[in-house]
Amino acid sequence: MQHQFNQSDSGCLTGYKKSSNESYHKTPKKVNIWKTVYFNFHYFPFKTAIRMPVFIYWRSELYKMQGKIEIDGPITTGMMKFGSHGLGTQDLLYSRTMWEVMGTLIIRGKTNIGRGSKISVGDGAVLTLGHDFAITGNSEIICQKKISFGNDCLLSWDILIMDTDFHHVTNENGDIINSPKPITIGDHV
């Protein structure tokens, strides 16, 4: 299947998929071309950025872009989709996808972060997403130390995964007894 992309007047990328019978079917992708270009050239060297491995969709907010992204695997165009829509029950007018990465995000293959989801990686923290990782709308991953997902993981909506509770609890000696601990989620979850 071949893809041809054109920019619409709204700044969104519109795609035409060429099917096996050689006719074109218009499929709006709702990719924000300006944020997509900015994001890719911010995080990746030129040779990688021109391949556009990450698509940023409409209603995605890029709050903190101080960390880094590592791609552990073959680089393909649109291998990570951030803010893509797929739920029919979502409020498309107000639902936003949020990006707040100050640590390291490792991508091991095709990744889909659904609209309304929030990704937060703290300074010095590492979030690893395996091949064929997908998280649907209104879910959150908050990583302050280390969270790893294996391959072929699909997380449903309204899930919160965090390796900290942001509140220190101390014992009678003043030692912190609830420090952030790593989370590892295996394959096929």
Side-chain angles (χ1 to χ4, degrees):
M1 186 177 284
Q2 296 177 344
H3 295 276
Q4 174 183 351
F5 294 100
N6 299 315
Q7 184 183 345
S8 69
D9 293 335
S10 66
C12 293
L13 203 61
T14 303
Y16 295 89
K17 290 184 182 176
K18 191 173 184 181
S19 65
S20 59
N21 65 0
E22 300 298 310
S23 64
Y24 282 94
H25 303 286
K26 185 175 179 181
T27 311
K29 295 290 186 184
K30 296 289 186 181
V31 172
N32 184 317
I33 189 66
W34 308 117
K35 284 186 181 179
T36 296
V37 169
Y38 173 72
F39 187 95
N40 282 285
F41 281 91
H42 174 81
Y43 277 110
F44 303 115
F46 182 80
K47 194 173 183 179
T48 303
I50 60 172
R51 297 183 71 184
M52 297 293 161
V54 179
F55 285 169
I56 305 295
Y57 285 72
W58 180 73
R59 304 276 309 150
S60 295
E61 302 297 330
L62 307 173
Y63 288 111
K64 293 185 181 173
M65 296 177 58
Q66 300 161 352
K68 64 180 182 173
I69 298 176
E70 296 176 9
I71 299 176
D72 182 14
I75 297 169
T76 59
T77 301
M79 66 186 292
M80 179 177 167
K81 294 173 174 64
F82 187 76
S84 63
H85 174 64
L87 298 174
T89 59
Q90 202 165 34
D91 184 350
L92 299 179
L93 186 59
Y94 296 106
S95 181
R96 293 178 299 154
T97 311
M98 295 187 197
W99 178 270
E100 181 183 70
V101 175
M102 296 175 288
T104 302
L105 174 65
I106 300 171
I107 302 169
R108 296 222 163 110
K110 188 174 89 174
T111 302
N112 188 358
I113 310 296
R115 179 176 289 160
S117 294
K118 293 153 188 68
I119 302 295
S120 176
V121 182
D123 190 27
V126 178
L127 173 60
T128 303
L129 306 176
H131 180 68
D132 276 335
F133 174 85
I135 184 169
T136 60
N138 300 329
S139 292
E140 299 178 43
I141 299 174
I142 300 172
C143 178
Q144 292 296 305
K145 185 169 184 156
K146 183 178 182 182
I147 300 177
S148 299
F149 291 91
N151 297 328
D152 302 314
C153 288
L154 172 61
L155 305 177
S156 186
W157 54 30
D158 289 326
I159 292 177
L160 172 62
I161 297 175
M162 51 195 288
D163 60 3
T164 183
D165 67 2
F166 293 105
H167 299 93
H168 295 296
V169 177
T170 58
N171 62 15
E172 58 276 351
N173 297 329
D175 299 325
I176 297 173
I177 59 174
N178 69 332
S179 59
K181 298 204 174 24
I183 296 173
T184 302
I185 298 174
D187 296 340
H188 313 293
V189 175

